[in-house]
């Protein structure tokens, strides 16, 4: 199959509510991951390793960070005359265009782009998953089965299946039943959000959906269940590492898994590197009394204290006597002298004041406002927040972005509590 026969369309416009304040100022695929990358780097790298050099990225919510990251696609060798990368933002015109109402609507509003490229096959990808995958066997499988739609599928633990589209396939691999996020799953084989369509079938299906009243215009809820009844829809089994990092717990666990020996996802495999823009940062620096155990340190990081089982991004500074343990700390965050960060996610450019503690005590009361989101003892702090010296922040706490000293009225933030800037603040 020639390169020009396939166009990849990456759905990167989701609001990302389950990632809460990590996606408050950026699209979910732009959320940093693994000490160096953004989530979208994985499917972009997969595309170029698979020989797919025409890629459309469909953005919508908070797109600036994602656009700044991708630019003209040079790190992925997508800055080219033939093919290349295209940032496809929704727009208003005299035609029937508007904000994307769902995943299928995002494709529908970009049919002109696909018709201009004239691919034989369209590979549709979710931009918010962590995995390495060669798409070429999937594309060959689709052609061999003469499928109208092929869905890449993976078996997940039964207790997680309700979060996904669940399917049942026969011995040939043809999908005979599909249900989106069932309360009581009848299978643990789930939709990975990776689809192969022939262009003609894709056009017909999304145009039909556009004429139908009451639709949510979503592949999982509307298009796929109908196609299972009316078309040849097949399941392509995938057995590698794949993570939907759409929740705070899943995001934190996926970062922690990188620290295992050996890790389930090998970022050091020279045969399948994950590409990302390179920052002009100095080397990592360790102080005279620094201690680092089983951790990832991004470029420009300075450690003078102790770091244990943590992922630190570029430019993080852990000062003397400070401890960071079981945590994800994003770029340019400073942990001042004597401060402690335990089982937490800290976004960019945070200052943890001297002797402050993030992740304090043994009280694991779930967050009162968001009990489903924060109940495992994980505390999350939003971008640009400054935590005053000596403040103790408990477990399952949600500390909003852009907070300053005056927003912390007490020296103790009990477990399960949230702090947000009051309405009217800048």
């Amino acid at each position: 199959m020639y390169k020009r026969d396939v166009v990849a369309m990456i759905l990167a416009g989701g609001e990302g509510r389950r990632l809460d304040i990590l996606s408050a100022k950026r699209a979910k695929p732009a959320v940093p991951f693994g000490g160096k990358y953004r989530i979208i780097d994985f499917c972009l790298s997969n595309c170029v390793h698979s020989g797919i050099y025409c890629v459309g990225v469909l953005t919508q919510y908070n797109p600036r960070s994602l656009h700044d990251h991708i630019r003209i696609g040079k790190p992925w060798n997508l800055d080219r005359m033939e093919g290349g990368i295209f940032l496809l933002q929704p727009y208003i015109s005299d035609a029937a265009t508007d904000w994307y109402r769902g995943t299928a609507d995002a494709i529908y509003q970009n049919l002109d782009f696909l018709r201009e490229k004239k691919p034989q096959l369209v590979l549709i990808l979710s931009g918010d998953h962590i995995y390495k995958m060669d798409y070429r066997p999937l594309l060959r499988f689709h052609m061999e089965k003469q499928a109208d739609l092929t869905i890449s599928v993976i078996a997940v633990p039964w207790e997680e299946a309700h979060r996904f589209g669940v399917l049942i396939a026969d011995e040939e691999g043809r999908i005979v039943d599909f249900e989106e996020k069932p309360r009581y799953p009848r299978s643990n084989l789930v939709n990975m959000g990776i689809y192969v369509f022939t262009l003609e079938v894709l056009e017909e299906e999304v145009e039909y959906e556009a004429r139908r009243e009451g639709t949510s215009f979503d592949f999982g809820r509307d298009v796929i269940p109908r196609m299972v009844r009316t078309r040849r829809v097949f399941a392509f089994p995938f057995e590698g590492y794949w993570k939907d990092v759409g929740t705070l717990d899943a995001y934190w666990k996926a970062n922690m898994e990188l620290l295992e020996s050996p890790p389930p996802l090998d970022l050091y495999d020279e045969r399948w590197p994950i590409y990302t823009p390179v920052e002009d940062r100095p080397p990592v620096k360790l102080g005279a009394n620094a201690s680092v155990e089983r951790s990832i340190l991004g470029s420009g990081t300075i450690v003078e204290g102790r770091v244990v089982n943590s992922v630190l991004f570029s430019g993080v500074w852990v000062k003397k006597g400070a401890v960071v343990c079981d945590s994800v700390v994003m770029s340019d965050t400073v942990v001042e002298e004597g401060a402690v960060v335990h089982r937490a996610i800290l976004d960019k450019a945070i200052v943890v004041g001297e002797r402050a503690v993030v992740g304090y005590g043994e009280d694991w009361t779930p967050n009162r406002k968001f009990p489903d989101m924060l109940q495992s003892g994980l505390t999350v702090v939003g971008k640009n927040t400054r935590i005053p010296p000596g403040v103790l922040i408990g477990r399952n706490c949600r500390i909003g972005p852009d907070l300053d000293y005056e927003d912390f009225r007490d020296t103790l933030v009990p477990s399960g509590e949230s702090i947000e800037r009051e309405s009217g603040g800048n």
Side-chain angles (χ1 to χ4, degrees):
M1 181 167 293
Y2 296 104
K3 296 173 184 176
R4 66 175 62 93
D5 290 337
V6 182
V7 169
M9 301 288 275
I10 300 177
L11 301 171
E15 199 170 356
R17 292 180 180 178
R18 294 179 301 159
L19 277 180
D20 194 34
I21 53 182
L22 297 186
S23 55
K25 295 191 174 188
R26 58 171 77 92
K28 185 163 64 168
V31 171
F33 180 83
K36 177 179 180 179
Y37 309 98
R38 305 282 184 133
I39 293 173
I40 199 171
D41 292 340
F42 290 84
C43 62
L44 286 174
S45 299
N46 290 339
C47 283
V48 297
H49 288 313
S50 302
I52 300 169
Y53 292 105
C54 186
V55 180
V57 181
L58 284 64
T59 64
Q60 180 158 279
Y61 292 102
N62 293 323
R64 191 181 74 176
S65 180
L66 191 61
H67 287 194
D68 288 346
H69 179 71
I70 295 173
R71 295 185 182 272
I72 61 173
K74 186 174 182 179
W76 305 274
N77 193 24
L78 289 170
D79 54 334
R80 49 182 57 226
M81 295 295 292
E82 182 180 348
I85 196 161
F86 303 85
L87 301 174
L88 304 172
Q89 181 80 1
Y91 60 92
I92 306 297
S93 74
D94 293 337
T97 58
D98 202 343
W99 294 110
Y100 300 148
R101 293 167 286 175
T103 53
D105 187 39
I107 297 297
Y108 172 72
Q109 292 197 41
N110 287 284
L111 283 180
D112 285 347
F113 169 80
L114 290 171
R115 288 165 178 154
E116 177 188 336
K117 301 302 176 184
K118 299 178 182 177
Q120 182 180 0
L121 301 178
V122 180
L123 175 65
I124 299 176
L125 307 169
S126 296
D128 51 7
H129 297 154
I130 303 295
Y131 66 109
K132 295 193 289 187
M133 181 180 183
D134 188 342
Y135 299 128
R136 288 170 290 192
L138 166 65
L139 298 169
R140 286 196 295 268
F141 177 91
H142 179 86
M143 298 296 288
E144 291 167 0
K145 294 293 185 180
Q146 297 182 322
D148 296 310
L149 164 63
T150 299
I151 303 173
S152 189
V153 302
I154 192 170
V156 300
W158 277 91
E159 63 270 18
E160 296 181 12
H162 70 279
R163 294 174 46 211
F164 305 97
V166 173
L167 57 98
I168 297 174
D170 64 18
E171 294 181 357
E172 187 188 4
R174 185 166 181 173
I175 298 175
V176 296
D177 195 14
F178 182 93
E179 189 175 3
E180 181 72 2
K181 297 180 181 178
R183 186 173 182 181
Y184 301 107
R186 293 185 293 122
S187 166
N188 69 331
L189 201 62
V190 305
N191 173 15
M192 295 171 63
I194 300 172
Y195 311 128
V196 182
F197 283 88
T198 56
L199 177 58
E200 294 77 12
V201 169
L202 180 60
E203 288 180 286
E204 291 172 8
E205 290 295 334
V206 296
E207 286 177 338
Y208 175 87
E209 205 62 36
R211 296 190 299 268
R212 198 168 68 86
E213 293 186 6
T215 177
S216 58
F217 228 137
D218 185 78
F219 280 115
R221 293 185 181 90
D222 304 294
V223 177
I224 294 174
R226 181 179 66 251
M227 290 188 68
V228 167
R229 298 190 300 268
T230 61
R231 300 269 197 174
R232 290 177 58 81
V233 182
F234 282 82
F236 176 82
F238 178 71
E239 297 181 351
Y241 180 92
W242 175 85
K243 288 289 184 180
D244 178 354
V245 289
T247 67
L248 292 171
D249 270 347
Y251 172 83
W252 178 81
K253 288 176 183 176
N255 275 279
M256 294 298 103
E257 286 174 344
L258 298 176
L259 306 175
E260 297 178 8
S261 184
L265 178 69
D266 185 4
L267 296 178
Y268 301 89
D269 183 359
E270 295 181 356
R271 298 167 299 177
W272 201 275
I274 304 302
Y275 300 119
T276 194
V278 177
E279 292 185 290
D280 293 325
R281 299 268 192 169
V284 171
K285 180 180 179 181
L286 303 182
N289 297 311
S291 172
V292 179
E293 303 172 31
R294 204 170 76 158
S295 295
I296 291 173
L297 306 182
S299 57
T301 293
I302 300 173
V303 178
E304 298 174 304
R306 187 178 182 210
V307 177
V308 181
N309 201 59
S310 295
V311 176
L312 274 56
F313 286 76
S314 58
V316 171
W317 189 359
V318 181
K319 295 190 177 181
K320 295 177 182 179
V323 177
V324 176
C325 182
D326 297 337
S327 296
V328 178
V329 183
M330 296 187 194
S331 299
D332 300 314
T333 287
V334 177
V335 184
E336 296 282 6
E337 293 187 12
V340 175
V341 176
H342 182 247
R343 198 178 176 89
I345 301 172
L346 306 187
D347 208 325
K348 286 185 173 185
I350 290 167
V351 176
V352 182
E354 293 183 7
R355 304 177 311 284
V357 178
V358 180
Y360 171 77
E362 301 301 323
D363 178 4
W364 286 39
T365 299
N367 190 273
R368 288 172 173 79
K369 289 187 177 180
F370 305 96
D372 294 336
M373 196 178 296
L374 289 168
Q375 56 178 305
S376 67
L378 191 63
T379 285
V380 60
V381 182
K383 188 176 180 180
N384 297 325
T385 280
R386 300 176 71 236
I387 298 171
V391 165
L392 308 179
I393 300 174
R395 312 284 181 177
N396 295 316
C397 290
R398 180 184 183 273
I399 310 301
D402 301 316
L403 302 181
D404 212 331
Y405 289 179
E406 63 268 18
D407 295 299
F408 293 81
R409 299 183 177 181
D410 299 302
T411 55
L412 174 64
V413 181
S415 294
E417 293 298 329
S418 301
I419 298 180
E420 301 176 64
R421 174 155 291 183
E422 295 181 1
S423 59
N426 295 322

